[in-house]
Amino acid sequence: MPPTMDVLVSLAKRRGFVFQSSEIYGGTGSCWDYGPLGVELKNNVKRVWWRDFVQQRADMVGLDASILMHPMVWKASGHLDHFSDPMVDCRECRHRFRADHVDAVPWTHYCPATKENRFTIPAGEPCRHCGARRTLCPDCGKGALTEPRPFHLMFKTFMGSVEDSAAVTYLRPETAQAMFVNFDNVLQSMRLKLPFGIAQVGRSFRNEITPGNFIFRTREFEQMEIEFFVNPSDTVDGRPADEYWHDRWIEDCLAWFRRYGLRDEALRLREHDKDELSHYSKRTVDIEYEFPIGWSELMGIANRTDFDLRQHAQHSGKALTYFDEERRQHVTPYVVEPAAGVDRALLAFMADAYREEVVRGEKRVVLRFHPELAPVKVAVLPLLKKREDIVRTAHAIRADLARHWRVVYDDTAAIGRLYRRQDEVGTPYCVTVDVQTVGDAGKAERGDGRVTIRDRDSMEQIRVPIDEVVGVFTRLIAGEAWSQVAAGRGATGDPPEAAG
Ligand code: ATP
């Protein structure tokens, strides 16, 4: 059973993933703060994305542009004139809705067939008693809604000390435009040949009419975007290069989400209809994920043609072209844009990883994160916290492992409970130091210098010499299967798991 959003929100708060922003003042609408584990998870999402799509590819480079850009950028991009959503207001309770979302929420109905009884009816469904469909405000069920009006989504601000119209600028609503306005800088400085892409990870801001659903839709969020430039005169496998690369990026992005754990059956592609396409787009495909709120966009992959480069060339008066040596002509590249939200990806990874299992008659909550995403890779746990030699050895192992990964030490409960705590935050491996490891000086018994490594998913355990621990985790965290790494190593019996 996938978790509900309430379950995720509560786990996220309780275990230090995500807190409501400015909570002690009553919270800031739709703003969230990433806590100690949340920031690790988020950094991991961004790090593997950057590694896989930038570092490992010969045809990609990166960029980190400023959030405040020249206001003309937004004129040229079309955002000033077009970046709005249709909104409707309730004339009674004044609540505001995105016109295209108003039927996507449950609605309040005072049913005339049942003496005006108040019902909450599932989104998009008619009343079971009178058959009516929603026409009034879904929240209060009484007020009529206004006609749709455009609502501008960019946050306006002022640059400098004077708040006049000459100083108006905007917080960027997407990271993409920086790649277009820097196209020539990047091309010339890096001596690139088409096709190539520019990637950026950074904050974007949209004054959403109806933010909500936890970190799914917020007013401040992070994006991981790529602008992949291709020569429109080229063909690949007999197809126009932009169409070929569009399909390639759809496949690569889908494979990326699968690789880090999203289940196949919870992912699907959605092709935008012609009348839904943005003004710049030749074709757009969304990757949708079955979030706790239902199927929704996880990322979009658009073929933006040469619209952006042409617009910026026209508004800035600077050439934004590429010299095609073979054809001896200047061309304006087409661009394919895979655009993902960091927060939405994180929410999908969390929802997909969540499991409730029954182990020895007890409920176990576990986040089965891919090891590369897990906020903590290893927890080092002493079996007896009163034994100074056990504690010392555990601290030394933690310090050694922490040179490579985020590793924690915990001795604040019995071992069984410590394992459950680590399961609940998705730590893939635990290391336990016990009497067998260090021996017992009082009885003149020497330790075997081995520790127990426990696997989160199978709960199996193996004994490993301390000086091999780093090597074992290097293999496991790089993705090698537990069964393969564990093969040939003595499994321990039950003790540490059962000891709680
Ligand atoms: P939506 O239709 O959900 O408003 P969009 O189509 O406007 O999204 P894009 O402009 O394509 O979104 O942005 C690319 C990605 O950025 C989205 O797929 C999503 O993951 C993320 N994103 C967009 N808006 C938000 C937001 N308000 N909060 C969190 N993430 C967002």
Side-chain angles (χ1 to χ4, degrees):
M1 267 287 280
T4 63
M5 198 66 105
D6 286 347
V7 165
L8 286 182
V9 174
S10 145
L11 172 68
K13 177 175 180 188
R14 195 160 31 82
R15 300 309 314 273
F17 283 92
V18 184
F19 307 126
Q20 187 168 29
S21 165
S22 317
E23 193 183 342
I24 60 168
Y25 288 104
T28 322
S30 95
C31 293
W32 300 90
D33 296 344
Y34 287 86
L37 294 191
V39 66
E40 298 287 349
L41 177 59
K42 199 178 190 201
N43 283 344
N44 290 344
V45 170
K46 292 188 281 188
R47 190 178 48 79
V48 293
W49 185 89
W50 192 269
R51 184 194 59 199
D52 297 346
F53 287 132
V54 184
Q55 183 188 328
Q56 291 186 348
R57 293 180 63 128
D59 56 1
M60 290 288 305
V61 293
L63 185 74
D64 182 13
S66 70
I67 287 171
L68 297 171
M69 301 177 74
H70 195 289
M72 277 304 284
V73 169
W74 308 113
K75 180 69 187 159
S77 69
H79 283 84
L80 262 183
D81 298 326
H82 298 289
F83 196 54
S84 58
D85 278 337
M87 84 184 173
V88 291
D89 288 303
C90 171
R91 295 186 196 277
E92 201 68 35
C93 71
R94 304 270 163 227
H95 273 182
R96 182 164 278 184
F97 305 89
R98 223 169 105 169
D100 53 339
H101 283 179
V102 77
D103 280 318
V105 290
W107 56 288
T108 302
H109 179 50
Y110 291 90
C111 176
T114 62
K115 295 189 187 149
E116 302 287 314
N117 270 346
R118 184 178 187 278
F119 295 101
T120 302
I121 299 174
E125 291 186 14
C127 171
R128 277 192 293 126
H129 306 283
C130 67
R133 289 195 171 268
R134 187 206 59 76
T135 52
L136 302 173
C137 168
D139 264 8
C140 69
K142 292 185 175 155
L145 296 175
T146 59
E147 285 300 304
R149 286 172 290 154
F151 176 79
H152 209 271
L153 296 178
M154 276 203 292
F155 277 98
K156 203 186 238 181
T157 188
F158 300 92
M159 192 100 89
S161 55
V162 192
E163 290 199 4
D164 67 12
S165 57
V168 165
T169 187
Y170 302 90
L171 302 186
R172 68 180 177 201
E174 60 176 31
T175 58
Q177 295 305 319
M179 275 85 100
F180 302 128
V181 300
N182 278 300
F183 173 77
D184 198 52
N185 284 336
V186 174
L187 181 68
Q188 300 307 334
S189 59
M190 305 308 289
R191 304 184 172 276
L192 297 166
K193 293 260 175 289
L194 287 177
F196 69 86
I198 310 177
Q200 183 172 204
V201 177
R203 300 238 169 195
S204 295
F205 302 80
R206 295 181 189 178
N207 200 6
E208 299 276 3
I209 301 167
T210 39
N213 290 318
F214 193 30
I215 52 174
F216 179 83
R217 186 180 301 287
T218 52
R219 294 191 169 115
E220 173 180 351
F221 53 98
E222 268 189 279
Q223 291 186 302
M224 309 184 278
E225 292 197 296
I226 293 168
E227 304 303 329
F228 195 79
F229 299 97
V230 303
N231 190 335
S233 313
D234 282 350
T235 52
V236 186
D237 292 346
R239 301 172 58 205
D242 59 311
E243 295 179 14
Y244 166 85
W245 279 105
H246 196 189
D247 280 335
R248 275 290 300 278
W249 276 106
I250 295 167
E251 283 163 28
D252 286 358
C253 292
L254 200 53
W256 189 83
F257 283 111
R258 288 197 186 114
R259 173 172 168 196
Y260 292 102
L262 298 193
R263 287 160 304 132
D264 245 355
E265 61 271 27
L267 285 166
R268 71 180 186 195
L269 296 177
R270 189 180 75 82
E271 190 87 35
H272 283 215
D273 290 337
K274 284 273 173 284
D275 56 353
E276 185 195 353
L277 285 179
S278 313
H279 56 281
Y280 51 73
S281 174
K282 171 169 164 185
R283 178 186 172 218
T284 297
V285 173
D286 287 344
I287 297 183
E288 293 193 333
Y289 176 74
E290 195 173 15
F291 285 95
I293 50 169
W295 287 99
S296 310
E297 176 179 335
L298 176 59
M299 72 173 293
I301 303 140
N303 181 343
R304 293 174 79 125
T305 67
D306 56 4
F307 174 83
D308 303 272
L309 289 179
R310 280 193 189 282
Q311 285 291 106
H312 287 300
Q314 192 192 331
H315 283 78
S316 67
K318 301 278 186 317
L320 294 175
T321 52
Y322 172 88
F323 187 64
D324 180 341
E325 309 231 349
E326 204 181 305
R327 298 181 182 88
R328 310 297 302 162
Q329 62 183 15
H330 290 276
V331 294
T332 303
Y334 267 35
V335 69
V336 173
E337 177 191 78
V342 178
D343 314 78
R344 265 188 214 182
L346 187 147
L347 181 62
F349 286 126
M350 254 187 115
D352 218 280
Y354 186 93
R355 305 277 192 294
E356 287 180 12
E357 302 169 354
V358 177
V359 176
R360 299 190 183 112
E362 275 184 34
K363 180 169 130 182
R364 157 171 116 126
V365 171
V366 54
L367 286 177
R368 289 182 177 242
F369 284 132
H370 186 287
E372 297 244 41
L373 298 186
V376 174
K377 307 288 186 251
V378 181
V380 184
L381 315 170
L383 195 65
L384 296 172
K385 71 170 172 184
K386 292 206 178 90
R387 281 278 302 265
E388 200 258 328
D389 47 353
I390 291 183
V391 168
R392 193 170 5 95
T393 307
H395 277 302
I397 293 174
R398 189 213 67 84
D400 195 27
L401 294 176
R403 292 186 296 127
H404 307 272
W405 306 283
R406 179 83 185 125
V407 179
V408 297
Y409 168 93
D410 193 2
D411 65 6
T412 57
I415 193 74
R417 162 140 340 158
L418 293 180
Y419 281 154
R420 294 291 175 271
R421 273 191 207 155
Q422 295 301 329
D423 288 343
E424 204 186 22
V425 298
T427 306
Y429 308 106
C430 291
V431 167
T432 310
V433 182
D434 56 20
V435 180
Q436 225 181 315
T437 314
V438 297
D440 193 334
K443 294 182 189 157
E445 283 170 13
R446 289 184 49 195
D448 65 2
R450 290 168 178 263
V451 290
T452 300
I453 295 180
R454 172 199 186 252
D455 173 47
R456 174 195 67 204
D457 295 347
S458 65
M459 290 184 290
E460 283 171 12
Q461 302 173 355
I462 51 173
R463 290 287 284 183
V464 173
I466 291 175
D467 57 6
E468 289 177 25
V469 167
V470 169
V472 165
F473 285 133
T474 303
R475 291 168 61 193
L476 286 169
I477 292 164
E480 209 173 315
W482 168 264
S483 53
Q484 203 160 327
V485 177
R489 293 187 184 269
T492 62
D494 248 348
E497 177 74 22

